[in-house]
Amino acid sequence: SLGNTSKPLTEILVSKGHEVTVISSNADKVADIEALGAKAAIGSVEDVAFLTSAFSGQDAVYTMVPPNLGAPDIREFIASVGKVYVEAIKASGLKQVVNLSSIGADLDGGTGPIAGLHDVEQSYASLEGVAVKHLRPAYFYVNFYGNIGMIKHAGILGSNYPADTPVVLVHPADIAAAAAEELQNSLAGHSVRYVVSEQSTAGEVAKILGEAIGKPELPWVEFNDADALQGMLQAGLPEVMAKAYVEMGDATRSRKLYRHYFDNKPAISGKIKLADFAKEFALAYEAG
């Protein structure tokens, strides 16, 4: 409800004079939501009746599947929430939807948790008379916060793909800006929009982040899949999610994850570059 994308999206829409309702599963968030100038609707995205009520009478909705690290089958969880959204959209009579998907969602499997977003897009395809814009953002810059411990304790940055691997990156604020733009447009049909702030390589990411934290020689290290899995498990990630992220890394290594993006080569729309994010990363690194 008030995460890396949804909070700035809410702020943009409220600043433009729109009436915004923010859905949250946590009643403790009501005060924070209202402080942004929005209304709060408390309930579960797995509850069709609740979502139908929340969507009814609205001009447009921004949908996303919240993270669920405890799901026994992450793809099934994501896909099931997508089906609930579709039921609620149909029942509410909603006519305009902006959906947060992901780069790689064109692929049916082999992409870790992104495969579930492929399923969501497929479910949305059944919506007739509803305009749908799927946002396919790149790899979030902020995911690198999860590697701060690796840098501090091992002096490296890495994953299960080599330093020369192309990576496509995005800042959540750029996603929020794109979502706000689409929500305020008159959409038609079903279409996809990639949201990207920067194209780089894994090695260049290590170099730029390293320079920002005073470690200009910070190396990017490639792990094999088994070592990558063990590292995530030791860091406390549930096995289901750790295996899903290893699979996503494999899709990055084989370069199939970004193939559709590169084949279509849309213009980079985001404004926040890797060097800009590096300043934010340095603050988080210093804070521990």
Side-chain angles (χ1 to χ4, degrees):
S1 59
L2 295 177
N4 291 317
T5 301
S6 297
K7 182 178 180 180
L9 172 58
T10 300
E11 291 171 335
I12 293 170
L13 293 173
V14 169
S15 73
K16 298 293 184 181
H18 297 288
E19 294 183 5
V20 181
T21 299
V22 177
I23 290 172
S24 176
S25 62
N26 186 353
D28 292 340
K29 296 286 184 68
V30 171
D32 291 336
I33 291 170
E34 292 179 346
L36 297 177
K39 300 176 183 177
I42 304 302
S44 170
V45 294
E46 298 178 81
D47 184 338
V48 174
F50 163 70
L51 288 180
T52 299
S53 175
F55 291 171
S56 295
Q58 306 300 327
D59 295 317
V61 65
Y62 169 73
T63 58
M64 62 170 291
V65 179
N68 183 355
L69 296 181
D73 184 327
I74 188 60
R75 179 172 185 172
E76 175 55 33
F77 168 75
I78 294 171
S80 68
V81 173
K83 291 175 182 177
V84 173
Y85 277 140
V86 167
E87 289 186 52
I89 290 165
K90 290 178 177 178
S92 67
L94 191 70
K95 297 301 181 185
Q96 183 158 309
V97 180
V98 176
N99 174 57
L100 183 65
S101 186
S102 173
I103 201 165
D106 56 295
L107 299 170
D108 183 9
T111 56
I114 296 172
L117 297 174
H118 168 85
D119 298 338
V120 173
E121 288 195 14
Q122 294 302 302
S123 293
Y124 277 45
S126 69
L127 291 170
E128 297 180 358
V130 180
V132 179
K133 175 72 74 171
H134 293 294
L135 300 182
R136 289 184 181 171
Y139 188 81
F140 285 32
Y141 287 136
V142 294
N143 290 342
F144 290 112
Y145 290 148
N147 298 124
I148 287 176
M150 179 191 301
I151 297 171
K152 288 195 170 186
H153 298 132
I156 62 172
L157 182 59
S159 189
N160 59 328
Y161 46 89
D164 64 352
T165 304
V167 290
V168 187
L169 306 163
V170 71
H171 196 287
D174 283 335
I175 302 172
E181 179 183 338
E182 298 295 349
L183 285 166
Q184 296 174 96
N185 286 339
S186 294
L187 302 179
H190 291 204
S191 58
V192 168
R193 173 177 173 176
Y194 284 100
V195 188
V196 174
S197 303
E198 183 88 279
Q199 293 174 200
S200 190
T201 64
E204 186 66 13
V205 170
K207 179 178 181 294
I208 291 176
L209 295 185
E211 288 174 347
I213 60 174
K215 296 181 180 294
E217 303 304 320
L218 182 69
W220 179 274
V221 176
E222 178 185 9
F223 312 132
N224 62 41
D225 289 351
D227 287 343
L229 177 62
Q230 284 305 309
M232 285 186 248
L233 293 175
Q234 290 171 9
L237 202 64
E239 185 174 1
V240 170
M241 288 303 302
K243 288 181 175 179
Y245 286 134
V246 169
E247 186 176 76
M248 186 168 70
D250 177 68
T252 303
R253 180 176 62 218
S254 68
R255 307 192 181 185
K256 72 178 183 180
L257 186 66
Y258 301 138
R259 189 170 297 147
H260 186 268
Y261 167 80
F262 281 118
D263 285 349
N264 291 275
K265 205 65 173 176
I268 293 178
S269 56
K271 297 179 179 179
I272 303 174
K273 302 307 176 185
L274 180 57
D276 301 319
F277 169 70
K279 298 173 185 176
E280 300 174 24
F281 184 83
L283 292 175
Y285 184 86
E286 291 169 8

